[in-house]
Amino acid sequence: MRIGMIGTGYVGLVTGTCLAETGNDVVCMDRETWKIEMLRAGRSPIYEPGLQELIDRNLAAGRLGFTTSLEEATSGMHMVFIAVGTPPQPNGSVDLSALWAVVDQMAQYLGPDTIVVIKSTVPVGTNAAVTRRLKELTGRLCYVASNPEFLKEGTAVDDFMKPDRVVVGARSPWVVDQLHDLYRPYLRTDRPFLAMSPESAEMTKYAANAMLATKISFINEIALLCELTGADVDDVRRGIGHDERIGFAFLFPGVGYGGSCLPKDVQALTAVGAQHDLEMLILRAVHRVNVRQREWLLEKIRRYFDGHLAGRVFGIWGLSFKPGTDDLREAPSLFVIEKLQAAEAAVQVHDPVAMENARRLFGDKLRYCQLPEDAADGADALIILTEWKQFVHFDLTKVRSRMNRPVIFDGRNLYDLHRMRELGFDYVSVGRPAVFAAAVPAATR
């Protein structure tokens, strides 16, 4: 098939490249000239494991192309995917201006049998509204399908190639059949292809992310209660996770969820409820718990240092909102860094892949360290905010000898409490008893 992909962010670039990998001819379009120039040169503008290799292979095979021309990505295509950003507005509702700009401009290039596939995350009813708009612009009924994505940053290529399900919302059986044929190579292990109404498909995306966010906020709230009652959240997590009705997925305490999906989608679904005079009580609580979780970590740091953060040096391991990506959108690290700087503390950071993105945001306000141990140099404390695998078995004796004080605030619970005590660290994690091995005033404990 000939496929047009409008938008080359995480969703559009991964989707377009993976579709080319199975033999489709794909043209990806973006209005950002610098991004298209990078891609034409064979360089991915985002970090996603496995993506660069796929871009190289499909560029060389001539199945993957990049353009800034909407006409080139639309004319003569069997399907045109819309994968533009739908960011939140101040009230939590979704900004669809980029999507409507594409719809209005692409209408003149659409063939009578071209299927427009909405890949962007959009409120319920958007498919119907796009269908009406295209009919106004073209004078005919156009085919519009909803195909929400369920890709996880850091494993997006694998998620696309081996999906746990594909969801398609369309009113035409022919459109459903065409999309089923497109996705057939990825469903060879009998993964389900779920056809439903566009409204149900749109809601499925929001409901899935809201459920995941709810699990994260739930275990984070339990973790805070564990700290106050003397329980250990690791024990509690194991105790409930073995219940098949609950499971272990997304049941890890930390400093809260971030990224481009969960925060935005929780607030968007809350806004949809408000539009229909329905207060989304659970989702409002989910969001409040997530915000509080980041503040809780800062409060632990303030308490440890008796409120005196000015002039202190803090090392940070992990900037991206999760491992496997360089994405800083809604990352807890941004909140922590801004609060420490506001308190007149110095911050030095290390992340395996997100350093350049951090430099674009903070400029010379941070010290950027190429090695993890360098971020510990002269530090009064080390703060862990992303659970990169290379941190898990890192030789912490290298870190301890270079720190001003052997203190670690672990927002991801990477280390065993007994081991940290043996290594001589003061170690404060989430939902577990704190370890105090260094000589610090009792009042700060």
Side-chain angles (χ1 to χ4, degrees):
M1 291 187 185
R2 284 183 50 78
I3 305 293
M5 184 65 58
I6 313 302
T8 59
Y10 281 87
V11 175
L13 186 55
V14 170
T15 300
T17 304
C18 289
L19 288 174
E21 178 71 6
T22 53
N24 299 289
D25 292 319
V26 180
V27 176
C28 295
M29 177 266 171
D30 202 289
R31 65 182 180 180
E32 300 284 354
T33 302
W34 67 268
K35 189 183 292 187
I36 294 302
E37 289 176 351
M38 277 189 70
L39 288 164
R40 284 174 173 169
R43 293 181 292 123
S44 174
I46 60 174
Y47 176 82
E48 187 64 42
L51 180 59
Q52 183 64 62
E53 293 81 357
L54 289 184
I55 291 174
D56 292 342
R57 183 158 61 242
N58 287 283
L59 270 176
R63 292 189 298 265
L64 183 62
F66 300 98
T67 183
T68 56
S69 168
L70 186 61
E71 180 180 4
E72 186 179 345
T74 306
S75 296
M77 297 297 179
H78 294 101
M79 296 183 188
V80 178
F81 284 74
I82 300 177
V84 297
T86 53
Q89 300 190 89
N91 66 353
S93 63
V94 179
D95 181 356
L96 294 177
S97 58
L99 180 138
W100 287 119
V102 169
V103 169
D104 287 349
Q105 294 167 28
M106 75 189 306
Q108 60 186 311
Y109 307 122
L110 288 175
D113 293 327
T114 301
I115 300 171
V116 176
V117 184
I118 301 175
K119 199 74 175 170
S120 302
T121 301
V122 295
V124 177
T126 303
N127 180 294
V130 169
T131 301
R132 290 193 298 270
R133 181 62 176 159
L134 287 175
K135 186 175 182 180
E136 292 173 2
L137 295 170
T138 64
R140 65 178 185 272
L141 185 63
C142 296
Y143 297 112
V144 182
S146 295
N147 176 215
E149 55 84 17
F150 301 99
L151 308 178
K152 301 184 294 293
E153 289 186 36
T155 60
V157 170
D158 196 51
D159 289 344
F160 192 95
M161 292 297 193
K162 295 179 285 187
D164 50 17
R165 85 284 204 194
V166 172
V167 173
V168 165
R171 293 182 174 84
S172 164
W174 177 77
V175 170
V176 171
D177 288 343
Q178 293 296 302
L179 281 160
H180 193 196
D181 187 51
L182 178 69
Y183 280 107
R184 194 183 306 277
Y186 313 101
L187 302 171
R188 295 174 65 86
T189 54
D190 293 326
R191 295 298 188 182
F193 179 90
L194 305 175
M196 57 189 70
S197 71
E199 290 77 13
S200 294
E202 291 164 337
M203 182 62 80
T204 294
K205 170 63 177 178
Y206 281 111
N209 279 350
M211 185 69 242
L212 298 176
T214 300
K215 290 191 72 172
I216 295 171
S217 283
F218 172 80
I219 196 62
N220 278 336
E221 188 157 62
I222 293 298
L224 300 193
L225 191 58
C226 284
E227 292 181 18
L228 297 173
T229 59
D232 187 321
V233 74
D234 278 351
D235 294 335
V236 175
R237 182 181 61 83
R238 289 193 296 269
I240 65 177
H242 284 289
D243 188 324
E244 293 182 356
R245 298 167 299 176
I246 299 173
F248 285 101
F250 283 72
L251 210 60
F252 292 90
V255 286
Y257 55 78
S260 63
C261 293
L262 300 191
K264 171 175 72 75
D265 292 353
V266 166
Q267 294 184 70
L269 200 52
T270 303
V272 170
Q275 292 168 8
H276 293 273
D277 296 322
L278 176 64
E279 185 177 3
M280 307 296 283
L281 298 174
I282 292 177
L283 294 188
R284 284 192 181 278
V286 166
H287 174 68
R288 289 176 60 191
V289 169
N290 195 58
V291 172
R292 182 180 66 181
Q293 200 67 15
R294 302 173 186 186
E295 295 171 344
W296 187 265
L297 175 66
L298 262 299
E299 181 57 31
K300 289 181 180 181
I301 296 171
R302 293 190 190 99
R303 191 181 305 131
Y304 183 93
F305 290 104
D306 199 24
H308 302 303
L309 302 184
R312 297 194 182 276
V313 177
F314 291 92
I316 289 181
W317 280 4
L319 298 171
S320 56
F321 83 94
K322 62 178 287 189
T325 180
D326 61 353
D327 195 347
L328 296 180
R329 286 175 291 182
E330 297 290 334
S333 64
L334 303 185
F335 176 85
V336 173
I337 290 170
E338 289 168 359
K339 292 295 184 181
L340 290 176
Q341 290 183 331
E344 301 182 351
V347 182
Q348 47 200 41
V349 300
H350 170 79
D351 188 283
V353 301
M355 300 276 272
E356 285 307 309
N357 286 346
R359 196 184 301 272
R360 293 188 189 99
L361 288 175
F362 292 101
D364 59 2
K365 295 179 181 179
L366 304 177
R367 178 190 169 203
Y368 303 93
C369 305
Q370 293 305 311
L371 298 175
E373 56 265 38
D374 292 343
D377 273 341
D380 292 290
L382 180 65
I383 306 170
I384 301 174
L385 298 175
T386 313
E387 62 273 33
W388 286 97
K389 290 181 179 179
Q390 47 266 61
F391 298 158
V392 176
H393 295 295
F394 195 85
D395 184 358
L396 293 179
T397 58
K398 292 182 181 179
V399 169
R400 191 182 190 284
S401 64
R402 298 173 71 160
M403 296 181 70
N404 182 42
R405 177 182 290 186
V407 183
I408 294 179
F409 294 92
D410 185 356
R412 298 299 179 182
N413 288 7
L414 295 189
Y415 305 125
D416 176 75
L417 300 180
H418 179 69
R419 179 190 176 213
M420 298 306 289
R421 184 177 288 107
E422 286 185 338
L423 289 174
F425 280 94
D426 280 6
Y427 179 67
V428 181
S429 53
V430 183
R432 304 188 296 177
V435 169
F436 294 108
V440 295
T444 66
R445 301 186 181 185

